[in-house]
Amino acid sequence: MNGIDVSENNGIVDWQAVVNNGYQFAIIRIGYGTTIDSEFYRNINGALDAGLKVGVYLYSYALNEDMARKESQFVYSTLSTSGLPEEKLEMGVWFDMEDADNYKANHGDFDAQEITNMCSVFLNEMWRNGYTSTGIYANYDWMTNRIYTDQLGGCAKWLAQYNYTCDYYDESLKLWQYTDAEYIDGNQFDGNKTM
């Protein structure tokens, strides 16, 4: 299956155009840190109304395990109050622990064990709350060098590697983000495939 991931940065999405262009799923950003994405409700409802399979992701600003726990509580609370049990999230719940905007780099020097521990706390909290399909999202470098994935209980993985082939081999790899240049009616999205 092919899909896109979407946040407020993509503006107003024409979900019927997404379907008409052959996509079957969407991963919607629920928020960043403990702040809701301003387009989350419009995007999740639009994708569901268009008949797409959906999942959600959180861009993390956690700097320690307690902050990661608070982020999981934020995600769980938002999903619960939105009427989105795990059964409606066929494409999973994802924890994005990367540092695309250098927030973590500007607030400390985090080693792989610290990053892994924060991932573990988030995952375990979500699993305890019934979202057992929660996994981690990261680019190839983070997945292989910055997170000790073997310590995360075989959790689902969503890999970002903009390439013609996926070079990451793991039986728990569920999604591959292969490009940041999928265009739907002139709007640019990240393209994803199921594995």
Side-chain angles (χ1 to χ4, degrees):
M1 285 192 305
N2 293 318
I4 58 173
D5 59 272
V6 177
S7 75
E8 63 191 28
N9 299 318
N10 297 104
I12 305 299
V13 178
D14 180 343
W15 288 104
Q16 193 55 54
V18 173
V19 171
N20 293 346
N21 278 273
Y23 297 94
Q24 294 89 27
F25 71 88
I27 313 293
I28 312 295
R29 186 173 75 171
I30 195 168
Y32 43 95
T34 56
T35 302
I36 196 137
D37 184 292
S38 66
E39 291 296 314
F40 171 67
Y41 296 110
R42 184 195 313 257
N43 283 331
I44 197 78
N45 290 320
L48 285 167
D49 289 347
L52 293 166
K53 294 182 179 188
V54 297
V56 300
Y57 76 96
L58 177 82
Y59 183 87
S60 176
Y61 279 108
L63 301 175
N64 55 52
E65 293 177 35
D66 187 53
M67 291 175 76
R69 187 172 291 105
K70 287 178 179 164
E71 288 182 344
S72 73
Q73 292 165 351
F74 161 75
V75 171
Y76 174 67
S77 174
T78 304
L79 293 174
S80 296
T81 59
S82 300
L84 292 167
E86 182 175 54
E87 302 79 53
K88 283 192 177 180
L89 302 173
E90 295 180 71
M91 302 310 294
V93 176
W94 302 95
F95 187 55
D96 180 354
M97 192 56 181
E98 290 182 326
D99 195 24
D101 59 2
N102 292 316
Y103 182 82
K104 290 179 189 66
N106 293 331
H107 287 84
D109 184 20
F110 300 95
D111 65 27
Q113 190 61 62
E114 291 170 304
I115 296 292
T116 303
N117 291 349
M118 288 185 267
C119 290
S120 181
V121 165
F122 184 94
L123 291 168
N124 280 296
E125 288 291 318
M126 292 302 296
W127 292 343
R128 267 194 288 276
N129 283 311
Y131 290 86
T132 57
S133 62
T134 300
I136 57 170
Y137 165 91
N139 64 37
Y140 184 87
D141 177 57
W142 274 67
M143 198 72 81
T144 56
N145 299 311
R146 299 297 308 275
I147 302 171
Y148 295 137
T149 58
D150 59 322
Q151 295 181 16
L152 299 177
C155 75
K157 295 174 185 71
W158 174 17
L159 176 78
Q161 182 187 26
Y162 302 155
N163 200 358
Y164 292 104
T165 60
C166 180
D167 298 321
Y168 184 80
Y169 304 102
D170 187 307
E171 63 184 29
S172 58
L173 182 64
K174 303 297 182 198
L175 295 171
W176 170 33
Q177 185 181 87
Y178 61 90
T179 184
D180 64 350
E182 289 287 352
Y183 291 90
I184 302 170
D185 287 357
N187 292 330
Q188 184 175 346
F189 299 92
D190 294 331
N192 297 275
K193 297 180 179 184
T194 54
M195 300 301 288

